[in-house]
Amino acid sequence: MAEKIVSNKSNLQILHEDNHIIVVNKRVGDIVQGDKTGDKPLSEVVKEYIKEKYNKPGEVFLGVVHRLDRPTTGIVVFAKTSKALTRLNELFSNRETQKTYWAVVKNKPPKTQDKLIHYLKRNEKNNTSKAHSREVPDSKLASLDYKIIKELNNYFALEINLYTGRHHQIRAQLQAVGSPIKGDLKYGFDRSNPDGGIHLHARKLVFIHPVSKENIEIVAPTPDDVIWKAV
């Protein structure tokens, strides 16, 4: 997979940009959209970049298409026009995108590769989701497949293809099979990472461009740490 960085502006790593969309490699700790923490979201950083680069007067339009959890890294797509936003929202809601993630886990999963199907129930109070083997009230079907792509000294690197987009889906489903993600205290890992992040990375995204209709394939470089480098 070819990694490509179009622009690397201080705290903004841009993977793709054209008139209608901008794709960013999110860092650990960035929030995609504003929340109750009041921390500056990635969407505002991208708006400032666009305003400065193109000398745009007034408010910059930027549509948030999807999100990644705060401790997760990797590909985030934003829309620069309302036309692109409408079409991207349809693509993502209809699951007409191919999403590939990489994860590093401590315990070897039950199989070298497998499809996981669970029913996820969200707990709003503690902001978690629990994976159940059978349908329970207020649960939603969640499916993914994984394969082990590398065995490290103490860890296993997995490649994951996501078929549904549930709250904390990968984190909850991997915990359910006994393989919590490195650093993910919320989902059963025994200690946190020094940067507060987890080893889950939105690695690759394939979709049809909302305006030009060309096939877009984005691959995001992994964070600069010892374990990701080993993967």
Side-chain angles (χ1 to χ4, degrees):
M1 286 186 279
E3 300 173 353
K4 188 174 74 169
I5 300 167
V6 174
S7 174
N8 216 342
K9 298 264 184 187
S10 61
N11 62 344
L12 199 61
Q13 196 177 86
I14 296 161
L15 304 173
H16 174 93
E17 184 182 5
D18 59 45
N19 290 336
H20 294 278
I21 62 174
I22 182 166
V23 184
V24 174
N25 194 7
K26 186 180 104 57
R27 303 171 309 164
V28 163
D30 286 342
I31 49 170
V32 174
Q33 212 170 6
D35 66 6
K36 61 189 177 193
T37 62
D39 294 342
K40 188 175 188 176
L42 192 55
S43 55
E44 288 302 316
V45 177
V46 175
K47 277 185 183 180
E48 286 174 4
Y49 157 80
I50 293 169
K51 190 178 180 71
E52 183 184 328
K53 182 176 179 180
Y54 302 102
N55 293 314
K56 281 189 175 278
E59 184 70 18
V60 170
F61 177 88
L62 191 76
V64 176
V65 178
H66 65 123
R67 282 174 276 192
L68 286 181
D69 300 337
R70 189 164 194 162
T72 305
T73 58
I75 296 168
V76 180
V77 181
F78 295 100
K80 291 168 72 176
T81 62
S82 55
K83 181 198 280 188
L85 178 61
T86 303
R87 292 180 183 174
L88 283 169
N89 281 338
E90 287 173 5
L91 279 178
F92 276 79
S93 63
N94 295 335
R95 299 182 196 139
E96 293 171 15
T97 58
Q98 284 176 257
K99 297 177 185 175
T100 303
Y101 287 76
W102 281 2
V104 176
V105 299
K106 184 157 190 175
N107 303 324
K108 189 174 185 176
K111 297 178 181 177
T112 304
Q113 58 183 67
D114 199 9
K115 183 166 189 172
L116 302 182
I117 297 175
H118 291 96
Y119 292 88
L120 260 58
K121 183 168 182 175
R122 186 169 180 175
N123 183 331
E124 299 282 355
K125 283 185 182 174
N126 62 11
N127 191 34
T128 59
S129 287
K130 184 169 176 59
H132 298 267
S133 56
R134 292 191 179 92
E135 192 169 4
V136 298
D138 302 321
S139 64
K140 291 179 177 177
L141 179 70
S143 70
L144 59 80
D145 64 37
Y146 73 83
K147 64 179 178 183
I148 298 172
I149 53 172
K150 192 151 191 185
E151 294 194 17
L152 308 169
N153 287 339
N154 298 305
Y155 303 102
F156 297 86
L158 311 181
E159 183 168 277
I160 295 152
N161 288 309
L162 201 55
Y163 301 116
T164 53
R166 307 303 183 198
H167 175 257
H168 291 182
Q169 179 181 334
I170 297 172
R171 300 166 68 180
Q173 287 195 272
L174 288 179
Q175 180 192 34
V177 296
S179 300
I181 295 168
K182 185 181 182 301
D184 199 353
L185 291 177
K186 196 172 258 193
Y187 287 92
F189 201 81
D190 54 4
R191 64 184 184 278
S192 59
N193 287 341
D195 62 4
I198 64 174
H199 275 73
L200 178 61
H201 181 68
R203 172 68 173 168
K204 183 180 173 186
L205 183 67
V206 180
F207 61 99
I208 301 297
H209 192 284
V211 180
S212 71
K213 304 301 181 191
E214 66 181 306
N215 195 54
I216 302 286
E217 183 175 309
I218 310 283
V219 179
T222 52
D224 185 16
D225 79 31
V226 174
I227 288 174
W228 279 128
K229 280 178 179 172
V231 176

